[in-house]
Amino acid sequence: MALIHGGRLTEASRRYGIAPGDWLDLSTGIAPWSYPVPEVPIHVWARLPEADDGLSAAAAEYYGAAATNITALPGSQFAIRELPLAVAAQSGPARVGVPAVGYAEHGRSWAAAGHQVVAYDDLAQLRAMADTLDHAVVISPNNPTGEQAAIDTLIALANKLARRDGLLLVDAAFADCSGGLTIDRLPANAVVLRSLGKFFGLAGLRLGFMMGRGPAIAAVGAQLQPWGVSHPARWIGRRALLDRDWQAEQQRRIADGAHSLTTLLDAYFSRQRIVTVGLFVTVFFDHPMQATAVHEALAEQAVLTRLGDNRRWLRFGLPGDAPAATRLVTALDVVVEQGLC
C-alpha cells in the first residue's frame, strides 16, 4: 500500500470537488520558486547520458564531497528503497533505528527488505540505543519535526555502528536551507542522501545524490547502469548546482518566506508548538481532532496542507507570493470563525 505524501492534488480535487487549478497547494516542502531551467538543447534530448558530463564534479563542489563517492540517482527515493535491499543481500536482516516521526518511506523500505525496524523519538533516544542497533537512519533536518543533527552527533553515531559494520544513513534532503552538511568529516560507514527537488524546486526532475562508499552503495549504483539518470536531468542539474548567484538569492527568499509564514501561523496557533527548517512550517497540535479539523476547514477553501500520519500535526509549505499569502490569511480567518484555533 502506498504511503500518504504531500502534493496529492488530483486526489484532493476529487474529494472536495475543486478543480486542480483553483488550489493553493501548501502540502509539500518543495520551494515555490523553481530554478529557472534554460532551454534544453535538442542534442541533450537526442543523445544518451554520459557519466563524464561534469555533473559529479558540480555535485562534489556543491556538497563538499569527493566526486568518486557521489552517485547520481533518479531521485533520492531510489536509494531509500534499494539500499535496505542491498544491505539485506550482503549481510542479512538487521536491527535498524528509524525516526518514529519523519519521512515514512524509510521505515517501510527497511521493513520490506526483511529488517527489524526500531522506532526512536529523537536523537537523544537514538544515541542511547545505538549500541543495540546494526544500522540507523537520521533525517536531518527532519521533516516534519525540524530536528537537526550536529556533525559531532552523526560522527559519534557512525562510529558506534561501525563496530558492527553498520551503516548510518543520513537523509539530508532539506539541508540546503540550514547550512548544508560537512560530509567530508563523516566516517566511511556514513551514507548521505541529497535532493535537487526541495531547495531548487525541481521535484519533477527526479534527481538526487547518494554519497558514500562500500559494497552496499556500490550495489545500488550498479542497478543504475548504464543510463539510470536521464540526460536532460543531468544537464539541468549540473547548471543548477553551479549557479551560486541564484542559490544565494534562493537562500534569501526561503529565509524571508519561512520567517513570514512562522510569524503568521504563530498569530493563529500561539498555543501550539511551531517549528520550521526553511521550506515548511509544522504546527503540532495537542489533540488530533484539532489538526484534522483545521486541515479539513482549509481544504474546503482550496488550501491544501499536509496532515500528519498520526493526525497530530499540519505542515505548511511556503506560499510563494503575496496573493498566495493573502489567500492563506483569508482561509485561516475562516478557521478562527469556526472556533478551530
Side-chain angles (χ1 to χ4, degrees):
M1 180 182 296
L3 295 176
I4 297 175
H5 300 290
R8 299 161 66 94
L9 196 56
T10 302
E11 179 180 313
S13 297
R14 287 195 299 264
R15 178 176 178 181
Y16 295 97
I18 301 171
D22 293 337
W23 284 87
L24 172 59
D25 185 4
L26 304 179
S27 66
T28 74
I30 300 166
W33 312 283
S34 297
Y35 180 74
V37 177
E39 182 177 356
V40 180
I42 189 62
H43 72 83
V44 174
W45 295 102
R47 290 174 50 194
L48 291 168
E50 299 180 22
D52 57 351
D53 57 3
L55 176 63
S56 293
E61 180 181 343
Y62 181 81
Y63 296 120
T68 54
N69 294 335
I70 295 178
T71 303
L73 307 166
S76 55
Q77 175 62 37
F78 183 88
I80 291 172
R81 184 185 70 238
E82 297 298 327
L83 188 59
L85 292 170
V87 170
Q90 293 176 6
S91 56
R95 283 173 54 86
V96 185
V98 175
V101 178
Y103 187 55
E105 292 287 352
H106 285 288
R108 184 175 76 156
S109 295
W110 287 95
H115 302 281
Q116 179 186 356
V117 172
V118 182
Y120 65 86
D121 293 328
D122 54 29
L123 290 170
Q125 185 179 28
L126 175 59
R127 289 195 297 268
M129 63 192 293
D131 288 329
T132 70
L133 301 173
D134 300 300
H135 313 287
V137 176
V138 171
I139 306 173
S140 182
N142 183 290
N143 168 20
T145 69
E147 185 177 36
Q148 300 186 54
I151 185 66
D152 290 342
T153 296
L154 295 176
I155 292 172
L157 286 170
N159 286 335
K160 280 191 174 185
L161 295 169
R163 299 168 189 167
R164 293 179 299 284
D165 294 324
L167 292 179
L168 175 67
L169 177 61
V170 183
D171 184 346
F174 288 94
D176 306 74
C177 303
S178 57
L181 181 66
T182 312
I183 294 172
D184 59 354
R185 288 187 57 196
L186 293 177
N189 64 319
V191 182
V192 179
L193 303 181
R194 300 297 295 265
S195 169
L196 260 71
K198 312 299 190 300
F199 175 80
F200 290 90
L202 294 175
L205 192 66
R206 305 312 303 140
L207 178 62
F209 296 93
M210 174 177 60
M211 282 158 273
R213 52 193 182 273
I217 290 84
V220 174
Q223 295 185 54
L224 294 164
Q225 300 304 318
W227 305 297
V229 178
S230 74
H231 197 169
R234 297 182 67 95
W235 188 90
I236 294 167
R238 176 178 175 273
R239 280 151 182 80
L241 290 168
L242 292 175
D243 195 338
R244 293 308 177 92
D245 289 340
W246 183 88
Q247 293 161 18
E249 181 60 29
Q250 183 78 329
Q251 289 279 5
R252 289 190 289 270
R253 278 191 294 260
I254 291 172
D256 291 345
H259 175 75
S260 297
L261 181 58
T262 302
T263 301
L264 172 64
L265 293 175
D266 186 62
Y268 287 90
F269 304 108
S270 60
R271 289 175 291 183
Q272 313 300 331
R273 183 167 67 93
I274 298 175
V275 300
T276 181
V277 295
L279 283 169
F280 61 84
V281 178
T282 307
V283 181
F284 292 88
F285 293 85
D286 295 330
H287 196 285
M289 294 300 294
Q290 185 179 6
T292 301
V294 173
H295 173 77
E296 293 287 340
L298 291 173
E300 289 168 358
Q301 301 171 79
V303 175
L304 188 61
T305 57
R306 170 70 164 94
L307 177 62
D309 300 323
N310 61 7
R311 301 298 190 268
R312 288 190 175 273
W313 52 266
L314 280 185
R315 189 185 66 201
F316 294 76
L318 303 183
D321 57 27
T326 299
R327 281 190 62 182
L328 177 58
V329 169
T330 301
L332 288 170
D333 286 341
V334 173
V335 172
V336 171
E337 291 172 2
Q338 295 178 357
L340 300 177
C341 63

